[in-house]
Amino acid sequence: MAVLVLDSTLKTIKASIASTSASVYFTAHYGDSNGTTFSNGENDGTFATSPQTLVAAPTSGYQRTIKYISIQNGSASAATVTVYLDNNGSTRNIAVVTLNAGDTWSTDGTFDTNGSFKQTVGTVNVSTVTGTLPVGNGGTGTTSLTANNVILGNGTSAVQFVAPGTTGNLLTSDGTTWSSSAPAARVSTITFGTTGLTPSSATSGAVTVAGTLVVGNGGTGLSTTTAYGLIAAGTTATGAFQQVSGTGTSGQVLTSNGAGALPSWQAAGGGGITTGKAIAMAMIFGF
């Protein structure tokens, strides 16, 4: 309970409202003391004037201790009441409160028409809020939220929503706002036809390639070759290339074995041009 003290004949407690209303009532209870004598007093009435004196100044030599003050709005509309200390013309506000119909302000707090204490959170008196709490007071500005929608800010206006859309949609930004959109085209399956290549891991996303590229698609059809070895065409126009056996030895020559057979490595004199024959031919033909 708040206690107020008037220690001068120049100090009073007053209250004002925006307009005179016979339906705004007040009560005040106080005690007077000069150190040896003590007495109680009470004052009540309506706001016949504005400002209205709630507690008058004490007589000389006395202090007036205010135990309780209450102001009730008995009218059908809200009334803003200012309670203040008047010290010889200088005023100091004690409370400024808007009372809805039936509300009561007192030195114990503010109560609604049912006598329930009116809780104040920050600058918002939640018990006086009617309708929809706007964004400016920490609300959403809307009375219902659609299940599973994404909430978007909208400045000081009521929030907006983005519906999920169809299965697989993504929440997409266009640089200004958001929307539920189908994703861009992407690889869902992959095949390499008759190339000889196959996907060895996933068929979507990052794909690892396996297999051997065939001749018909610019490959060799071979998966390994001998280092420094020679490669010959396949047995058909599109057949895999063939590896000539080995790399031969130093001085050997590659010799044809006729149609339908791979060439092979042979010694320089083995069925080829011997050294003696080469000298004779050089003498005959002059080279």
PDB file of all heavy atoms in Angstrom, residues 14-22 24 26 46-54 71 79-84 86:
ATOM      1  N   LYS A  14      -4.842  16.447  -5.502  1.00  0.00           N
ATOM      2  CA  LYS A  14      -5.936  16.750  -6.413  1.00  0.00           C
ATOM      3  C   LYS A  14      -5.959  15.733  -7.557  1.00  0.00           C
ATOM      4  O   LYS A  14      -5.010  14.969  -7.753  1.00  0.00           O
ATOM      5  CB  LYS A  14      -5.778  18.162  -6.980  1.00  0.00           C
ATOM      6  CG  LYS A  14      -5.873  19.264  -5.936  1.00  0.00           C
ATOM      7  CD  LYS A  14      -5.730  20.646  -6.575  1.00  0.00           C
ATOM      8  CE  LYS A  14      -5.842  21.748  -5.526  1.00  0.00           C
ATOM      9  NZ  LYS A  14      -5.730  23.104  -6.121  1.00  0.00           N
ATOM     10  N   ALA A  15      -7.048  15.784  -8.317  1.00  0.00           N
ATOM     11  CA  ALA A  15      -7.170  14.915  -9.497  1.00  0.00           C
ATOM     12  C   ALA A  15      -7.967  15.659 -10.548  1.00  0.00           C
ATOM     13  O   ALA A  15      -8.833  16.478 -10.233  1.00  0.00           O
ATOM     14  CB  ALA A  15      -7.844  13.603  -9.152  1.00  0.00           C
ATOM     15  N   SER A  16      -7.647  15.376 -11.821  1.00  0.00           N
ATOM     16  CA  SER A  16      -8.376  16.004 -12.922  1.00  0.00           C
ATOM     17  C   SER A  16      -8.764  14.948 -13.936  1.00  0.00           C
ATOM     18  O   SER A  16      -8.109  13.915 -14.054  1.00  0.00           O
ATOM     19  CB  SER A  16      -7.524  17.090 -13.587  1.00  0.00           C
ATOM     20  OG  SER A  16      -6.364  16.512 -14.164  1.00  0.00           O
ATOM     21  N   ILE A  17      -9.855  15.228 -14.643  1.00  0.00           N
ATOM     22  CA  ILE A  17     -10.276  14.377 -15.748  1.00  0.00           C
ATOM     23  C   ILE A  17     -10.504  15.263 -16.960  1.00  0.00           C
ATOM     24  O   ILE A  17     -10.585  16.497 -16.827  1.00  0.00           O
ATOM     25  CB  ILE A  17     -11.546  13.575 -15.402  1.00  0.00           C
ATOM     26  CG1 ILE A  17     -12.680  14.526 -14.992  1.00  0.00           C
ATOM     27  CG2 ILE A  17     -11.270  12.547 -14.324  1.00  0.00           C
ATOM     28  CD1 ILE A  17     -13.983  13.807 -14.744  1.00  0.00           C
ATOM     29  N   ALA A  18     -10.623  14.629 -18.121  1.00  0.00           N
ATOM     30  CA  ALA A  18     -10.752  15.404 -19.361  1.00  0.00           C
ATOM     31  C   ALA A  18     -12.004  16.262 -19.365  1.00  0.00           C
ATOM     32  O   ALA A  18     -12.005  17.374 -19.873  1.00  0.00           O
ATOM     33  CB  ALA A  18     -10.737  14.464 -20.560  1.00  0.00           C
ATOM     34  N   SER A  19     -13.101  15.757 -18.793  1.00  0.00           N
ATOM     35  CA  SER A  19     -14.332  16.541 -18.722  1.00  0.00           C
ATOM     36  C   SER A  19     -15.066  16.177 -17.445  1.00  0.00           C
ATOM     37  O   SER A  19     -14.922  15.071 -16.905  1.00  0.00           O
ATOM     38  CB  SER A  19     -15.230  16.255 -19.931  1.00  0.00           C
ATOM     39  OG  SER A  19     -15.573  14.888 -19.975  1.00  0.00           O
ATOM     40  N   THR A  20     -15.846  17.106 -16.908  1.00  0.00           N
ATOM     41  CA  THR A  20     -16.570  16.865 -15.668  1.00  0.00           C
ATOM     42  C   THR A  20     -17.582  15.754 -15.867  1.00  0.00           C
ATOM     43  O   THR A  20     -18.314  15.730 -16.846  1.00  0.00           O
ATOM     44  CB  THR A  20     -17.295  18.141 -15.205  1.00  0.00           C
ATOM     45  OG1 THR A  20     -16.319  19.168 -15.009  1.00  0.00           O
ATOM     46  CG2 THR A  20     -18.050  17.905 -13.909  1.00  0.00           C
ATOM     47  N   SER A  21     -17.610  14.790 -14.934  1.00  0.00           N
ATOM     48  CA  SER A  21     -18.555  13.685 -15.030  1.00  0.00           C
ATOM     49  C   SER A  21     -19.038  13.319 -13.643  1.00  0.00           C
ATOM     50  O   SER A  21     -18.246  13.039 -12.748  1.00  0.00           O
ATOM     51  CB  SER A  21     -17.914  12.466 -15.694  1.00  0.00           C
ATOM     52  OG  SER A  21     -18.789  11.361 -15.620  1.00  0.00           O
ATOM     53  N   ALA A  22     -20.334  13.380 -13.447  1.00  0.00           N
ATOM     54  CA  ALA A  22     -20.903  13.031 -12.146  1.00  0.00           C
ATOM     55  C   ALA A  22     -20.806  11.550 -11.865  1.00  0.00           C
ATOM     56  O   ALA A  22     -21.148  11.104 -10.775  1.00  0.00           O
ATOM     57  CB  ALA A  22     -22.367  13.472 -12.090  1.00  0.00           C
ATOM     58  N   VAL A  24     -17.914   9.804 -11.989  1.00  0.00           N
ATOM     59  CA  VAL A  24     -16.584   9.461 -11.502  1.00  0.00           C
ATOM     60  C   VAL A  24     -16.531   9.796 -10.021  1.00  0.00           C
ATOM     61  O   VAL A  24     -16.720  10.949  -9.631  1.00  0.00           O
ATOM     62  CB  VAL A  24     -15.478  10.207 -12.271  1.00  0.00           C
ATOM     63  CG1 VAL A  24     -14.101   9.867 -11.710  1.00  0.00           C
ATOM     64  CG2 VAL A  24     -15.541   9.861 -13.746  1.00  0.00           C
ATOM     65  N   PHE A  26     -14.838   9.374  -5.904  1.00  0.00           N
ATOM     66  CA  PHE A  26     -13.563   9.241  -5.193  1.00  0.00           C
ATOM     67  C   PHE A  26     -13.818   9.085  -3.701  1.00  0.00           C
ATOM     68  O   PHE A  26     -14.846   9.514  -3.166  1.00  0.00           O
ATOM     69  CB  PHE A  26     -12.657  10.447  -5.457  1.00  0.00           C
ATOM     70  CG  PHE A  26     -13.117  11.710  -4.790  1.00  0.00           C
ATOM     71  CD1 PHE A  26     -12.664  12.064  -3.516  1.00  0.00           C
ATOM     72  CD2 PHE A  26     -14.025  12.555  -5.427  1.00  0.00           C
ATOM     73  CE1 PHE A  26     -13.096  13.234  -2.903  1.00  0.00           C
ATOM     74  CE2 PHE A  26     -14.441  13.733  -4.815  1.00  0.00           C
ATOM     75  CZ  PHE A  26     -13.980  14.072  -3.555  1.00  0.00           C
ATOM     76  N   THR A  46     -18.049  13.174  -5.815  1.00  0.00           N
ATOM     77  CA  THR A  46     -17.959  13.005  -7.264  1.00  0.00           C
ATOM     78  C   THR A  46     -17.104  14.125  -7.834  1.00  0.00           C
ATOM     79  O   THR A  46     -16.857  15.137  -7.173  1.00  0.00           O
ATOM     80  CB  THR A  46     -19.351  13.046  -7.903  1.00  0.00           C
ATOM     81  OG1 THR A  46     -19.935  14.324  -7.642  1.00  0.00           O
ATOM     82  CG2 THR A  46     -20.239  11.938  -7.350  1.00  0.00           C
ATOM     83  N   PHE A  47     -16.671  13.914  -9.066  1.00  0.00           N
ATOM     84  CA  PHE A  47     -15.896  14.942  -9.738  1.00  0.00           C
ATOM     85  C   PHE A  47     -16.853  16.022 -10.246  1.00  0.00           C
ATOM     86  O   PHE A  47     -17.190  16.095 -11.414  1.00  0.00           O
ATOM     87  CB  PHE A  47     -15.098  14.341 -10.891  1.00  0.00           C
ATOM     88  CG  PHE A  47     -13.767  13.769 -10.464  1.00  0.00           C
ATOM     89  CD1 PHE A  47     -13.724  12.585  -9.734  1.00  0.00           C
ATOM     90  CD2 PHE A  47     -12.587  14.410 -10.770  1.00  0.00           C
ATOM     91  CE1 PHE A  47     -12.517  12.057  -9.332  1.00  0.00           C
ATOM     92  CE2 PHE A  47     -11.367  13.877 -10.375  1.00  0.00           C
ATOM     93  CZ  PHE A  47     -11.328  12.691  -9.640  1.00  0.00           C
ATOM     94  N   ALA A  48     -17.289  16.858  -9.327  1.00  0.00           N
ATOM     95  CA  ALA A  48     -18.180  17.950  -9.719  1.00  0.00           C
ATOM     96  C   ALA A  48     -17.406  19.033 -10.447  1.00  0.00           C
ATOM     97  O   ALA A  48     -17.956  19.770 -11.262  1.00  0.00           O
ATOM     98  CB  ALA A  48     -18.865  18.534  -8.489  1.00  0.00           C
ATOM     99  N   THR A  49     -16.136  19.128 -10.127  1.00  0.00           N
ATOM    100  CA  THR A  49     -15.256  20.082 -10.816  1.00  0.00           C
ATOM    101  C   THR A  49     -14.001  19.352 -11.238  1.00  0.00           C
ATOM    102  O   THR A  49     -13.714  18.240 -10.779  1.00  0.00           O
ATOM    103  CB  THR A  49     -14.871  21.258  -9.888  1.00  0.00           C
ATOM    104  OG1 THR A  49     -14.162  20.732  -8.752  1.00  0.00           O
ATOM    105  CG2 THR A  49     -16.123  22.005  -9.423  1.00  0.00           C
ATOM    106  N   SER A  50     -13.226  19.969 -12.082  1.00  0.00           N
ATOM    107  CA  SER A  50     -11.942  19.427 -12.479  1.00  0.00           C
ATOM    108  C   SER A  50     -10.961  20.593 -12.597  1.00  0.00           C
ATOM    109  O   SER A  50     -11.199  21.518 -13.381  1.00  0.00           O
ATOM    110  CB  SER A  50     -12.049  18.688 -13.809  1.00  0.00           C
ATOM    111  OG  SER A  50     -10.827  18.059 -14.140  1.00  0.00           O
ATOM    112  N   PRO A  51      -9.903  20.640 -11.756  1.00  0.00           N
ATOM    113  CA  PRO A  51      -9.486  19.574 -10.850  1.00  0.00           C
ATOM    114  C   PRO A  51     -10.360  19.476  -9.594  1.00  0.00           C
ATOM    115  O   PRO A  51     -10.999  20.454  -9.202  1.00  0.00           O
ATOM    116  CB  PRO A  51      -8.058  19.957 -10.495  1.00  0.00           C
ATOM    117  CG  PRO A  51      -8.031  21.449 -10.611  1.00  0.00           C
ATOM    118  CD  PRO A  51      -8.945  21.778 -11.768  1.00  0.00           C
ATOM    119  N   GLN A  52     -10.339  18.295  -9.027  1.00  0.00           N
ATOM    120  CA  GLN A  52     -11.101  17.991  -7.824  1.00  0.00           C
ATOM    121  C   GLN A  52     -10.121  17.783  -6.680  1.00  0.00           C
ATOM    122  O   GLN A  52      -9.141  17.042  -6.812  1.00  0.00           O
ATOM    123  CB  GLN A  52     -11.917  16.722  -8.034  1.00  0.00           C
ATOM    124  CG  GLN A  52     -12.618  16.210  -6.796  1.00  0.00           C
ATOM    125  CD  GLN A  52     -13.774  17.101  -6.383  1.00  0.00           C
ATOM    126  OE1 GLN A  52     -14.627  17.429  -7.205  1.00  0.00           O
ATOM    127  NE2 GLN A  52     -13.813  17.505  -5.117  1.00  0.00           N
ATOM    128  N   THR A  53     -10.343  18.439  -5.544  1.00  0.00           N
ATOM    129  CA  THR A  53      -9.499  18.222  -4.372  1.00  0.00           C
ATOM    130  C   THR A  53      -9.915  16.925  -3.698  1.00  0.00           C
ATOM    131  O   THR A  53     -11.077  16.766  -3.287  1.00  0.00           O
ATOM    132  CB  THR A  53      -9.621  19.379  -3.375  1.00  0.00           C
ATOM    133  OG1 THR A  53      -9.167  20.590  -4.000  1.00  0.00           O
ATOM    134  CG2 THR A  53      -8.790  19.130  -2.122  1.00  0.00           C
ATOM    135  N   LEU A  54      -8.978  16.006  -3.624  1.00  0.00           N
ATOM    136  CA  LEU A  54      -9.249  14.728  -2.975  1.00  0.00           C
ATOM    137  C   LEU A  54      -8.923  14.774  -1.486  1.00  0.00           C
ATOM    138  O   LEU A  54      -9.684  14.257  -0.661  1.00  0.00           O
ATOM    139  CB  LEU A  54      -8.439  13.611  -3.646  1.00  0.00           C
ATOM    140  CG  LEU A  54      -8.603  13.454  -5.165  1.00  0.00           C
ATOM    141  CD1 LEU A  54      -7.736  12.300  -5.671  1.00  0.00           C
ATOM    142  CD2 LEU A  54     -10.049  13.233  -5.550  1.00  0.00           C
ATOM    143  N   ILE A  71     -10.433   6.049  -6.907  1.00  0.00           N
ATOM    144  CA  ILE A  71     -11.234   6.773  -7.904  1.00  0.00           C
ATOM    145  C   ILE A  71     -11.878   5.715  -8.793  1.00  0.00           C
ATOM    146  O   ILE A  71     -11.181   4.881  -9.368  1.00  0.00           O
ATOM    147  CB  ILE A  71     -10.376   7.726  -8.751  1.00  0.00           C
ATOM    148  CG1 ILE A  71      -9.710   8.776  -7.867  1.00  0.00           C
ATOM    149  CG2 ILE A  71     -11.216   8.383  -9.838  1.00  0.00           C
ATOM    150  CD1 ILE A  71      -8.715   9.655  -8.610  1.00  0.00           C
ATOM    151  N   ALA A  79     -12.317   6.973 -19.045  1.00  0.00           N
ATOM    152  CA  ALA A  79     -11.958   8.302 -18.536  1.00  0.00           C
ATOM    153  C   ALA A  79     -10.496   8.280 -18.119  1.00  0.00           C
ATOM    154  O   ALA A  79     -10.059   7.354 -17.428  1.00  0.00           O
ATOM    155  CB  ALA A  79     -12.834   8.678 -17.355  1.00  0.00           C
ATOM    156  N   THR A  80      -9.742   9.272 -18.547  1.00  0.00           N
ATOM    157  CA  THR A  80      -8.334   9.394 -18.165  1.00  0.00           C
ATOM    158  C   THR A  80      -8.240  10.325 -16.968  1.00  0.00           C
ATOM    159  O   THR A  80      -8.687  11.478 -17.022  1.00  0.00           O
ATOM    160  CB  THR A  80      -7.482   9.933 -19.321  1.00  0.00           C
ATOM    161  OG1 THR A  80      -7.570   9.028 -20.421  1.00  0.00           O
ATOM    162  CG2 THR A  80      -6.029  10.075 -18.903  1.00  0.00           C
ATOM    163  N   VAL A  81      -7.662   9.825 -15.887  1.00  0.00           N
ATOM    164  CA  VAL A  81      -7.596  10.564 -14.626  1.00  0.00           C
ATOM    165  C   VAL A  81      -6.132  10.834 -14.291  1.00  0.00           C
ATOM    166  O   VAL A  81      -5.292   9.948 -14.413  1.00  0.00           O
ATOM    167  CB  VAL A  81      -8.252   9.767 -13.486  1.00  0.00           C
ATOM    168  CG1 VAL A  81      -8.151  10.531 -12.172  1.00  0.00           C
ATOM    169  CG2 VAL A  81      -9.705   9.464 -13.820  1.00  0.00           C
ATOM    170  N   THR A  82      -5.835  12.061 -13.878  1.00  0.00           N
ATOM    171  CA  THR A  82      -4.496  12.434 -13.429  1.00  0.00           C
ATOM    172  C   THR A  82      -4.571  12.810 -11.953  1.00  0.00           C
ATOM    173  O   THR A  82      -5.300  13.732 -11.575  1.00  0.00           O
ATOM    174  CB  THR A  82      -3.939  13.620 -14.222  1.00  0.00           C
ATOM    175  OG1 THR A  82      -3.902  13.280 -15.615  1.00  0.00           O
ATOM    176  CG2 THR A  82      -2.538  13.978 -13.761  1.00  0.00           C
ATOM    177  N   VAL A  83      -3.852  12.068 -11.117  1.00  0.00           N
ATOM    178  CA  VAL A  83      -3.777  12.349  -9.683  1.00  0.00           C
ATOM    179  C   VAL A  83      -2.431  13.023  -9.430  1.00  0.00           C
ATOM    180  O   VAL A  83      -1.406  12.530  -9.887  1.00  0.00           O
ATOM    181  CB  VAL A  83      -3.901  11.056  -8.853  1.00  0.00           C
ATOM    182  CG1 VAL A  83      -3.853  11.365  -7.354  1.00  0.00           C
ATOM    183  CG2 VAL A  83      -5.197  10.320  -9.210  1.00  0.00           C
ATOM    184  N   TYR A  84      -2.443  14.140  -8.680  1.00  0.00           N
ATOM    185  CA  TYR A  84      -1.184  14.865  -8.514  1.00  0.00           C
ATOM    186  C   TYR A  84      -1.133  15.591  -7.177  1.00  0.00           C
ATOM    187  O   TYR A  84      -2.152  15.832  -6.505  1.00  0.00           O
ATOM    188  CB  TYR A  84      -0.982  15.857  -9.654  1.00  0.00           C
ATOM    189  CG  TYR A  84      -2.055  16.902  -9.804  1.00  0.00           C
ATOM    190  CD1 TYR A  84      -1.916  18.162  -9.192  1.00  0.00           C
ATOM    191  CD2 TYR A  84      -3.197  16.666 -10.559  1.00  0.00           C
ATOM    192  CE1 TYR A  84      -2.894  19.134  -9.336  1.00  0.00           C
ATOM    193  CE2 TYR A  84      -4.181  17.628 -10.710  1.00  0.00           C
ATOM    194  CZ  TYR A  84      -4.020  18.871 -10.103  1.00  0.00           C
ATOM    195  OH  TYR A  84      -4.997  19.842 -10.231  1.00  0.00           O
ATOM    196  N   ASP A  86      -0.342  19.048  -5.349  1.00  0.00           N
ATOM    197  CA  ASP A  86      -0.299  20.498  -5.601  1.00  0.00           C
ATOM    198  C   ASP A  86       0.413  21.150  -4.426  1.00  0.00           C
ATOM    199  O   ASP A  86      -0.086  21.180  -3.299  1.00  0.00           O
ATOM    200  CB  ASP A  86      -1.724  21.051  -5.735  1.00  0.00           C
ATOM    201  CG  ASP A  86      -1.725  22.539  -6.114  1.00  0.00           C
ATOM    202  OD1 ASP A  86      -0.720  23.237  -5.833  1.00  0.00           O
ATOM    203  OD2 ASP A  86      -2.730  22.986  -6.686  1.00  0.00           O
TER     204      ASP A  86
END
